[in-house]
Amino acid sequence: MRVIHDVDTMQGLARTRYGQVSTALVPTMGALHEGHLSLIRLAHDRAEQVDVTIFVNPTQFGPGEDLEQYPRPLEDDLAACRREGVTTVFCPQAGQMYAGDHSTLIAESVVSEGLCGRFRAGHFDGVVTVVAKLFNIMLPTVAVFGQKDYQQVCVIQRMVRDLAFPVEIVVAPIVREADGLAMSSRNRTLGADERARALALSQGLMQARADVAGGERDARRLEQALSRALGKAGLQVQYAACVDADTLAPVRAVVRPTLFAVAALVGQTRLIDNVILQPRVE
Ligand code: PAF
């Protein structure tokens, strides 16, 4: 496995193999967990070589967010990549990715607006900019992202379509702990009591899924029930929203596959989760 830290070396390597061998990219911010490993395994099914990027991207963190606290266990991450048969890991320092006077950002202006976009100004501009840059450096055939960051996937799909990036986007299902909590690098910052209370997120979403399977269609009632359950568990809800699974526009009734997405603070840790609600066929 090659571990590369600088942009020129990585891009040079990517250029020598471009068109000769198919590559699948798994972009990450490190602190790899089973969820990331599932992306790497899916990537192996989709291409001859698998690349992983590990970069805690400063431009997607707002003031007061957890950029400094974000876990960075690089040696453990490299060992995990080795075990998973990764071909190349690209792990640059911020100075490699952004010149001191960098002044170009990509902005998506429709699907990035609601949900997390309302609470994290500029976040998705930072995400699409770094993903575009990583695509230009790594030159992947396909790139794999997780459904837990559903809105992120939608924004990246728009960017790829609108700017004609020759990269296929593959979406992998959410991986959950045995008790249902969606896997996230941020879970490791939860204390024991917070970890227990965080379960309200997945439990509330599963309850909504059961309610919809049982005939519930009213989006507002579902949103209120989830917000109440999270409040009771001591979580600070940012949003609990039923939106169209393609456009992310709010819906009033669950009459076709609908994304039910949630974000809440558990202590200082911001967690997100989602499910697709499938309306009962009458
Ligand atoms: O999902 C993430 O880990 C990040 O947002 C990504 C896609 C690697 C961009 O920094």
Side-chain angles (χ1 to χ4, degrees), residues 41-219:
R41 289 168 197 153
L42 183 58
H44 277 296
D45 294 340
R46 301 304 296 257
E48 291 158 272
Q49 293 187 1
V50 173
D51 296 339
V52 170
T53 60
I54 299 176
F55 178 58
V56 183
N57 172 38
T59 65
Q60 68 189 74
F61 288 78
E65 291 190 343
D66 56 351
L67 173 62
E68 306 308 330
Q69 292 77 40
Y70 202 86
R72 291 168 171 82
L74 183 61
E75 286 312 316
D76 292 350
D77 288 347
L78 293 177
C81 289
R82 242 176 237 114
R83 282 195 300 275
E84 294 296 326
V86 169
T87 308
T88 311
V89 177
F90 176 55
C91 44
Q93 294 296 314
Q96 267 290 317
M97 289 293 280
Y98 296 108
D101 61 348
H102 79 97
S103 53
T104 308
L105 271 182
I106 300 177
E108 192 287 330
S109 58
V110 174
V111 290
S112 60
E113 289 298 291
L115 304 178
C116 291
R118 279 183 42 227
F119 296 87
R120 302 190 71 188
H123 167 70
F124 288 114
D125 297 353
V127 170
V128 282
T129 301
V130 81
V131 169
K133 186 154 183 167
L134 290 170
F135 284 177
N136 284 334
I137 296 167
M138 308 297 294
L139 305 175
T141 319
V142 308
V144 187
F145 296 89
Q147 191 204 304
K148 185 170 80 64
D149 296 298
Y150 193 101
Q151 187 176 19
Q152 166 171 285
V153 173
C154 293
V155 178
I156 291 168
Q157 281 168 330
R158 287 275 176 134
M159 187 265 295
V160 163
R161 184 199 69 180
D162 293 349
L163 302 184
F165 275 89
V167 180
E168 184 194 344
I169 303 300
V170 174
V171 185
I174 297 177
V175 179
R176 298 183 179 280
E177 303 282 357
D179 60 6
L181 183 69
M183 292 210 181
S184 163
S185 303
R186 289 189 168 97
N187 290 352
R188 58 174 84 191
T189 66
L190 297 171
D193 169 64
E194 291 171 339
R195 171 68 181 72
R197 289 188 292 119
L199 263 190
L201 289 162
S202 53
Q203 284 174 347
L205 289 171
M206 297 313 149
Q207 181 61 52
R209 202 159 62 176
D211 291 346
V212 169
E216 176 63 274
R217 293 190 161 204
D218 189 305

